[in-house]
């Protein structure tokens, strides 16, 4: 995957926030968390992961499926690969 440095920095920022959210949930569970607060933290973590997935998927589609210099067979393989990942992600 060939991303610009700006894109990599943006993705790394996202993953660091996700890591922080995960650590906060772990710390909460080590204590005596309120159910609603814990559910809210989990929902926020899921939203952050979904945002990361959207960002990477969007870039992949633009760079790989949108490339003009690939064959129809390569494009079909890219489509199948993306669909396979989406099926796994959406389970």
């Amino acid at each position: 995957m060939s991303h610009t440095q700006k894109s990599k920095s943006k993705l790394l920022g996202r993953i660091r926030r996700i890591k922080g959210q995960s650590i906060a949930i772990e710390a909460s569970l080590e204590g005596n968390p309120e159910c609603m607060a814990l559910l809210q933290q989990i929902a926020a973590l899921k939203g952050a992961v979904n945002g990361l997935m959207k960002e990477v998927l969007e870039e992949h589609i633009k760079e790989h499926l949108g490339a003009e210099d690939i064959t129809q067979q390569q494009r079909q393989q890219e489509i199948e690969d993306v669909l396979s990942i989406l099926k796994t992600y959406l389970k």
Side-chain angles (χ1 to χ4, degrees):
M1 184 156 99
S2 59
H3 294 282
T4 64
Q5 190 57 41
K6 181 180 177 184
S7 176
K8 284 182 183 180
S9 296
K10 188 176 180 181
L11 293 175
L12 285 170
R14 280 183 175 270
I15 201 66
R16 287 181 183 123
R17 283 189 297 278
I18 289 168
K19 181 179 177 182
Q21 288 173 309
S22 179
I23 289 169
I25 291 171
E26 180 181 9
S28 180
L29 287 171
E30 288 173 347
N32 190 15
E34 292 290 324
C35 290
M36 289 307 297
L38 182 60
L39 288 169
Q40 187 174 28
Q41 286 179 304
I42 294 168
L45 178 62
K46 181 180 181 199
V49 170
N50 285 343
L52 176 64
M53 179 64 150
K54 180 197 130 326
E55 189 81 23
V56 173
L57 182 59
E58 185 176 307
E59 285 188 30
H60 179 81
I61 288 171
K62 287 178 181 176
E63 288 185 22
H64 296 275
L65 291 173
E68 295 179 14
D69 61 342
I70 63 173
T71 67
Q72 186 59 31
Q73 184 179 2
Q74 290 170 316
R75 191 175 314 281
Q76 188 59 40
Q77 184 61 51
E78 286 287 341
I79 290 169
E80 289 174 21
D81 292 345
V82 167
L83 290 175
S84 176
I85 291 295
L86 284 174
K87 286 177 186 175
T88 300
Y89 184 73
L90 295 172
K91 279 187 178 178

